[in-house]
Amino acid sequence: MSIASTSGAQRCVLITGATGAIGGALAKAYANQHTHLVLHGRQQEVLLALADTCREQGAQVTTASVNLTDETALAQWLHALCAEHLPDIVIANAGKNTHPQVSGSLEPWDDVQALLDINLKTPIAMAQHLVPAMQARGSGQLVFISSLAGWHGLPSTPTYSASKAGIKAYGEGLRGLLAPHGIGVTVIMPGYVTSPMCNAMPGPKPFEWPPERAAKVIKRAIEANRARISFPFPLNFGTWWLAVLPAGVSQWLIKRLGFDHIEHPGGG
């Protein structure tokens, strides 16, 4: 077992993007008297309310709102955190989405850069700062949030798809690299999970899950040190085939199923 979990000892769980739907549900799922939660989020009121809820469940809670895409600030925060209490589980959950504004247009370049910074560069940077300390200790668990969109790029969200395919590949590669050092790596590939970000995504959203259900499945996968967990089954099965079939067939299916639509929710 790669996660430090001595009976009765308090484990430290770091969750970025804790003010999002999945992050908040994961924080509540982990909150108990044996856990020190380090919750990172940008929405201060939501973050403080979440921290209070988790403390009521018995957890020790530390909050942070450092700019994760500021390399210096991120390094300083993680260095201080490791000096005080090196996390046992790190869930790099913070992320964002973007999509073309009109048919045939590319996504705005500023949006593309911001998305790649938080979805791809930040989780990799976090690993760079945390892995050496985990190696020295001989244990730890890194959790990267990919997406079913990582199986095959969607015309409605090409940059988001690219970032999720990238973090999937990185996590898979890192797992083999770090296993001999007692460090587990789990890649999470959710489908549609109810949240403001999900609501803002164009196209159909079949088999949408509430965040609490997603958190339960994710937590179970982390505890088992699964290499990868993808859900829900019907949508995962279909999107997995998009990666296996000839690209022309996959792109025809994507169009037939309506995943090439870019209309805003509500027709805007």
Side-chain angles (χ1 to χ4, degrees), residues 66 71 97 212:
V66 64
E71 293 184 17
N97 195 7
E212 295 77 15

Side-chain angles (χ1 to χ4, degrees), residues 158-242:
T159 303
Y160 177 81
S161 299
S163 71
K164 294 306 183 179
I167 202 61
K168 170 183 173 291
Y170 180 74
E172 290 167 346
L174 211 61
R175 182 177 173 91
L177 179 67
L178 298 180
H181 301 272
I183 301 171
V185 180
T186 297
V187 174
I188 310 297
M189 299 181 70
Y192 296 103
V193 176
T194 304
S195 66
M197 187 171 78
C198 176
N199 295 339
M201 291 179 71
K205 302 176 182 67
F207 308 105
E208 185 174 331
W209 277 18
E212 295 77 15
R213 183 178 181 184
K216 183 177 179 180
V217 170
I218 292 169
K219 183 173 182 287
R220 189 163 58 237
I222 295 170
E223 297 296 338
N225 188 23
R226 293 277 299 275
R228 183 174 65 220
I229 180 71
S230 47
F231 59 85
F233 170 73
L235 189 59
N236 175 58
F237 185 70
T239 52
W240 176 81
W241 272 107
L242 294 177

Side-chain angles (χ1 to χ4, degrees), residues 1 7 12 16 29 59 62 77 116-117 120 130 168 206 245 254:
M1 186 68 171
S7 179
C12 181
T16 64
T62 301
W77 174 54
L116 292 175
D117 281 346
L120 187 58
L130 293 167
K168 170 183 173 291
L245 292 169
I254 286 170

Side-chain angles (χ1 to χ4, degrees), residues 40 42 65-75 77 94-96 113-123 125-126:
H40 175 278
R42 296 175 302 164
S65 297
V66 64
N67 181 358
L68 297 177
T69 62
D70 181 325
E71 293 184 17
T72 300
L74 177 65
W77 174 54
K96 64 181 303 181
Q113 290 181 302
L115 183 149
L116 292 175
D117 281 346
I118 191 65
N119 287 14
L120 187 58
K121 289 179 63 178
T122 291
M126 290 178 66

Side-chain angles (χ1 to χ4, degrees), residues 118-165:
I118 191 65
N119 287 14
L120 187 58
K121 289 179 63 178
T122 291
I124 294 175
M126 290 178 66
Q128 288 282 326
H129 293 297
L130 293 167
V131 164
M134 288 182 169
Q135 287 176 317
R137 183 180 61 191
S139 67
Q141 189 82 15
L142 299 173
V143 182
F144 298 109
I145 308 299
S146 179
S147 165
L148 293 185
W151 287 126
H152 189 285
L154 299 177
S156 55
T157 54
T159 303
Y160 177 81
S161 299
S163 71
K164 294 306 183 179

